């Protein structure tokens, strides 16, 4: 049985999402899906800016109190793991040290927790997971997937990755996935197969540099758009 003990909640901020996915200010006018958002503050901060974001994650089936307790239970271990593997990361502003990382992660997850109950009531946090999402074809203009696909290459197979990215492309005509590295800061072995499958499906697939790098070498995202969207200019990325 899938339980909260299987989940390692680790949330990133709006600013990190903005840089990871090269989001421009006018992207805020688009309907967005955040997939595998976990306890990120992206939805809370984006909503406060007037953006329209729906986040999906199996974490959202639990109460805010349960999620808060799980975060507290794993937080120190996550920081200790990062300390032990510090050479895999790039320490530059705003994440200049382990202490800075801890402060940024804690602030992001607290912002999520403060927003979660209201957001879930209004349908902004949905209990769902890849490779099957409860949304209509083309329901979103832009779908973002942070620190799930490709990161868990050893845990999730090639077929799962291909099915999951196809599902994201079903619900949005502009899909962005970050990072493209597996745990351990090594390139994902699934990247060539996913790219080839999507191109056979008729999508435009690009690997774009982004203005974000914390995992060493992890400064690229995959961007997938339908060719009709690309011709209409909806697949462009903004600056930092």
């Amino acid at each position: 049985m899938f339980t909260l003990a299987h989940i390692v909640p680790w949330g990133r901020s709006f600013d990190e999402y903005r840089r990871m996915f090269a989001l421009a200010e006018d992207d805020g006018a688009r309907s967005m899906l955040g997939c595998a958002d976990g306890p990120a503050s992206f939805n809370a901060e984006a909503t406060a800016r007037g953006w329209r974001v729906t986040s999906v994650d199996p974490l959202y089936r639990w109460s805010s109190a349960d999620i808060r307790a799980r975060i507290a239970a794993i937080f120190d271990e996550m920081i200790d793991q990062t300390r032990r593997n510090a050479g895999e990361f790039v320490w530059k502003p705003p994440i200049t040290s382990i202490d800075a990382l801890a402060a940024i992660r804690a602030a992001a997850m607290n912002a999520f927790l403060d927003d979660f109950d209201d957001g879930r009531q209004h349908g902004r946090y949905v209990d769902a997971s890849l490779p099957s999402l409860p949304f209509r074809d083309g329901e979103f203009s832009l779908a973002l997937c942070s620190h799930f696909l490709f990161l868990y290459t050893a845990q999730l197979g090639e077929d799962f990755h291909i099915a999951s990215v196809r599902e994201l492309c079903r619900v949005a005509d502009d899909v962005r996935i970050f990072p493209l590295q597996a745990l351990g800061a090594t390139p994902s072995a699934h990247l060539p197969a996913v790219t080839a499958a999507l191109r056979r499906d008729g999508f435009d697939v690009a690997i774009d540099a982004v203005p974000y790098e914390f995992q060493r070498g992890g400064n690229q995202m995959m961007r997938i758009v339908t060719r009709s969207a690309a011709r209409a200019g909806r697949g462009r990325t903004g600056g930092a």
Side-chain angles (χ1 to χ4, degrees), residues 149-153 179-183 185-188 215-219:
L149 295 175
F150 300 121
L151 186 68
Y152 293 103
T153 288
L180 305 184
Q181 291 185 312
L183 292 168
T186 58
S188 172
Q215 188 182 33
R216 191 171 297 279
N219 60 355

Side-chain angles (χ1 to χ4, degrees), residues 192-207 224 227:
V194 171
T195 301
L198 292 168
R199 286 178 174 157
R200 286 195 300 270
D201 289 348
F203 293 101
D204 280 352
V205 183
I207 306 300
I224 311 124
R227 290 181 177 166

Side-chain angles (χ1 to χ4, degrees), residues 81-94:
Q81 284 185 21
T82 306
R83 183 178 289 108
R84 291 194 297 269
N85 297 286
E88 295 180 7
F89 302 98
V90 177
W91 302 98
K92 61 183 181 181

Side-chain angles (χ1 to χ4, degrees), residues 78-115:
M78 292 295 291
I79 293 299
D80 286 343
Q81 284 185 21
T82 306
R83 183 178 289 108
R84 291 194 297 269
N85 297 286
E88 295 180 7
F89 302 98
V90 177
W91 302 98
K92 61 183 181 181
I95 307 177
T96 56
S97 66
I98 293 289
D99 287 345
L101 173 68
I104 289 168
R105 292 288 172 269
M109 291 190 284
N110 284 332
F112 159 80
L113 289 165
D114 289 345
D115 181 61

Side-chain angles (χ1 to χ4, degrees), residues 6-8 23 35 55 64 117 124 135 140 142 152 156 171 183 195-196 215 219 240:
H6 291 103
I7 295 178
V8 180
L23 295 172
C35 196
S55 295
S64 56
D117 288 337
R124 290 191 287 109
F135 304 114
F140 300 95
L142 174 61
Y152 293 103
L156 302 170
V171 301
L183 292 168
T195 301
Q215 188 182 33
N219 60 355

Side-chain angles (χ1 to χ4, degrees), residues 157-178:
E158 180 181 298
D159 290 346
F160 178 90
H161 275 72
I162 292 171
S164 294
V165 180
R166 282 173 169 159
E167 179 72 347
L168 290 171
C169 292
R170 180 186 69 80
V171 301
D173 62 15
D174 182 350
V175 173
R176 303 178 193 182
I177 303 167
F178 179 93

